[in-house]
Amino acid sequence: MSPAQAGAAATSHRALAGARWSLLFGNFAIGCGVMVTAGALNDISRGLQVSVALAGQLITISAAVMCVGAPLLAGWVAGFDRRRLLAYSLLWFGIGHLLCALMPSYAALWPVRAVTVLGAAIFTPQAAAAVGAVAPPAERGRSITFIFLGWSLASVFGMPMAAWLGDTFDWRIAFSAVALLSIAGAGWVYTALPDGVRPPALSLASWKKVFTDPVLMPMVAVTALMSAGQFTLFSYFAPYYRDIFGASATEVGLMFAWYGAFGVIGNVLLSRYVDRIGPGRAATAAVAMIGFSLLLWPLAESLLVMAIVVIPWAFACFAGNSAQQARLGHEAPALAPALMALNSSAIYLGQAAGAGSGGWIVAQGGYGPLNWVGLAWIVVGIAVSVWVERHSRRGD
């Protein structure tokens, strides 16, 4: 390699690193915003004078909007330059959270929240497609899982931040903090991402190929099942810890931080080894680990024991989503923009199904059955993941 070629390669590597870090931070802001409702659920319920079950439906409403919006918006924004698209979607997300913080009632809050999360419906799948387009093929899986670390970090810092700010001050402060993060992220993405990143637009024939593929759609279904299993219970962590264990605001925040710390560890390890062990095997193992924690859930009779029980789940939570993103990109790279949008849609579909069913269960009879309903989703997810792994065209 000549000195000129070496210099160009080093510059290209630095540019890719800068883009990856900015997109990781963007996902961190998005993750904080998506999870802020769950973290501040106690104060939202108290401050707006609605039940925990009704407050939890903010998660369901947002997830439903993101579920429908991700694939529809993916088609609409196909020709947009990703630098501007991703920066503007973060800016939309930030301004929307500022407006949410000003809403005087639940009736006023939920429609503003629904419109705000359209920014999330665009950002996460299009960030994955963008980094997949600029990364060399040998680093594609690692790059996609790397930027998804932002969601893991959001669970470490965002969820405890939302819980602590909500219970110590007000849920509006938590929403305002998300707004500041999102606006800062918009500036960073606009500065770091190169111009001209436009993953190939998909034709109607390509979309038809995605929806009729006998392997790709079950692969996406694994994400939905995994998400539904988790959010049946995860959506109600804060009131569960308060009502069952009498946890204080600080203890709730520490439990979220503990969960998130293991989430980061799991995602870091996955990002390092996913191309070696194969995303399919990693995804199946992650779903099984989540199921293991749900199976052990009734054994936790104190916060200390609960902290041990959630470790496998936390370790696999975001790693599982990252593995699924890499799995889809590995299976059909040419269809990545559509698949990333559908996978994000599946995450949000699972959130809506899990949070909705969980809220109904809590309203009817309390928290007792939540883990068993969540486990049922997970068992089906494991079965589908194993089937997909056996029928994958590329394999691992």
Side-chain angles (χ1 to χ4, degrees):
M1 181 182 293
S2 68
Q5 290 174 322
T11 301
S12 176
H13 181 75
R14 286 194 297 270
L16 175 60
R20 284 172 30 164
W21 278 104
S22 70
L23 295 175
L24 182 152
F25 185 83
N27 268 331
F28 172 71
I30 293 290
C32 288
V34 170
M35 294 186 284
V36 69
T37 305
L41 195 61
N42 287 335
D43 190 65
I44 292 173
S45 172
R46 180 171 55 246
L48 297 180
Q49 298 182 337
V50 296
S51 68
V52 166
L54 182 58
Q57 295 313 301
L58 283 172
I59 302 171
T60 305
I61 293 166
S62 298
V65 170
M66 291 184 286
C67 170
V68 175
L72 292 180
L73 291 170
W76 179 57
V77 304
F80 286 39
D81 176 78
R82 292 308 188 263
R83 176 193 182 197
R84 290 165 179 79
L85 173 68
L86 295 173
Y88 295 160
S89 63
L90 276 173
L91 187 61
W92 176 283
F93 198 65
I95 294 172
H97 275 88
L98 284 177
L99 293 175
C100 285
L102 299 175
M103 294 300 104
S105 66
Y106 182 89
L109 173 61
W110 76 258
V112 178
R113 173 72 171 163
V115 173
T116 295
V117 297
L118 290 173
I122 292 174
F123 186 87
T124 295
Q126 296 308 318
V131 79
V134 301
E139 297 183 29
R140 186 173 292 127
R142 184 183 308 171
S143 296
I144 292 172
T145 56
F146 178 82
I147 68 169
F148 216 83
L149 282 171
W151 279 80
S152 301
L153 293 170
S155 70
V156 175
F157 300 107
M159 289 284 283
M161 175 193 73
W164 184 78
L165 288 176
D167 280 332
T168 304
F169 300 101
D170 187 87
W171 64 269
R172 301 175 194 277
I173 302 298
F175 274 63
S176 298
V178 170
L180 295 177
L181 287 173
S182 302
I183 293 169
W188 190 358
V189 168
Y190 191 84
T191 302
L193 207 65
D195 275 326
V197 178
R198 290 183 173 89
L202 294 175
S203 64
L204 289 176
S206 297
W207 278 101
K208 182 180 178 180
K209 184 178 179 180
V210 169
F211 281 111
T212 58
D213 191 283
V215 173
L216 292 177
M217 291 312 296
M219 196 177 288
V220 172
V222 173
T223 300
L225 291 163
M226 178 172 59
S227 182
Q230 294 182 83
F231 273 83
T232 300
L233 185 51
F234 182 84
S235 303
Y236 302 96
F237 268 11
Y240 185 94
Y241 293 152
R242 180 195 62 195
D243 297 341
I244 301 301
F245 300 122
S248 65
T250 300
E251 288 171 330
V252 170
L254 288 173
M255 287 295 290
F256 279 131
W258 173 263
Y259 179 95
F262 281 96
V264 170
I265 294 170
N267 219 1
V268 167
L269 291 176
L270 176 77
S271 181
R272 180 172 298 179
Y273 297 112
V274 64
D275 292 320
R276 185 182 307 174
I277 66 176
R281 284 191 285 270
T284 302
V287 183
M289 291 172 69
I290 295 167
F292 184 63
S293 284
L294 289 172
L295 181 65
L296 297 181
W297 192 266
L299 300 180
E301 298 181 351
S302 68
L303 277 180
L304 179 60
V305 178
M306 179 60 72
I308 297 171
V309 167
V310 300
I311 289 175
W313 180 356
F315 193 82
C317 174
F318 295 101
N321 288 334
S322 297
Q324 281 290 105
Q325 295 272 32
R327 190 185 207 179
L328 289 160
H330 180 70
E331 183 73 13
L335 301 174
L339 290 172
M340 298 307 171
L342 287 174
N343 194 60
S344 293
S345 183
I347 292 173
Y348 302 135
L349 174 63
Q351 287 184 14
S357 60
W360 183 86
I361 291 168
V362 171
Q364 297 303 310
Y367 304 104
L370 288 179
N371 69 294
W372 301 118
V373 175
L375 182 59
W377 289 109
I378 292 297
V379 169
V380 178
I382 294 171
V384 175
S385 187
V386 170
W387 183 92
V388 165
E389 192 173 347
R390 289 177 179 173
H391 292 82
S392 170
R393 289 182 291 273
R394 290 177 176 248
D396 287 331

